[in-house]
Amino acid sequence: MDIYAAREIVYGFADIQAAGVPLIPNEASLPWPKDKIRRAFDVFSAAMEAERSKDPVTFAQDGYEETLVQALTMVLHIDDYHAIEECDLEAVGRANRLRRGEAWDDEVMHLLSKYPIGGKA
């Protein structure tokens, strides 16, 4: 994967995150497979780090240091997305429709233990 394709995926994933992520994100909603997104972040970060090594002062002054830190942080959210089992799709949909501040019932708590934020249970 070249840097241009990687940048498109990284920025696309950033847009998805900025638009708001449901309580239990479904990886089926992503426009690319998680492995491809992860690889794009690797390529993008490596290219950014190579640029930083050439001239760290200008890199930071131009705001790219912040971009790199954000990318390195954002890649961690890929594992928030899960392959939701067919039998859980309806319940996950209900959980994802909860408004901020609404109480989580036992069903939601069970789903969050099965599909935890940050990765595998």
Side-chain angles (χ1 to χ4, degrees):
M1 174 182 307
D2 67 24
I3 182 59
Y4 301 106
R7 184 177 61 200
E8 182 179 322
I9 292 169
V10 167
Y11 286 8
F13 187 73
D15 289 345
I16 290 166
Q17 293 296 107
V21 178
L23 181 62
I24 304 170
N26 188 344
E27 73 179 50
S29 69
L30 294 170
W32 311 277
K34 285 171 43 173
D35 289 343
K36 187 171 187 173
I37 298 170
R38 197 172 281 109
R39 177 76 181 125
F41 272 95
D42 290 345
V43 169
F44 181 81
S45 299
M48 294 287 285
E49 288 170 353
E51 286 300 312
R52 177 174 59 186
S53 70
K54 293 176 189 175
D55 185 354
V57 173
T58 302
F59 186 84
Q61 287 174 342
D62 290 346
Y64 293 118
E65 188 68 39
E66 184 177 335
T67 301
L68 177 57
V69 169
Q70 289 172 346
L72 293 171
T73 302
M74 191 170 307
V75 71
L76 301 174
H77 293 285
I78 294 169
D79 289 327
D80 292 347
Y81 290 80
H82 296 279
I84 308 298
E85 293 179 23
E86 184 74 30
C87 62
D88 292 330
L89 286 173
E90 189 176 313
V92 167
R94 282 193 301 275
N96 286 342
R97 286 189 294 277
L98 290 174
R99 297 186 188 280
R100 180 172 291 225
E102 283 187 64
W104 295 348
D105 60 17
D106 289 342
E107 179 182 58
V108 173
M109 296 304 291
H110 169 73
L111 291 169
L112 286 170
S113 68
K114 188 173 184 179
Y115 305 109
I117 295 170
K120 306 249 185 273

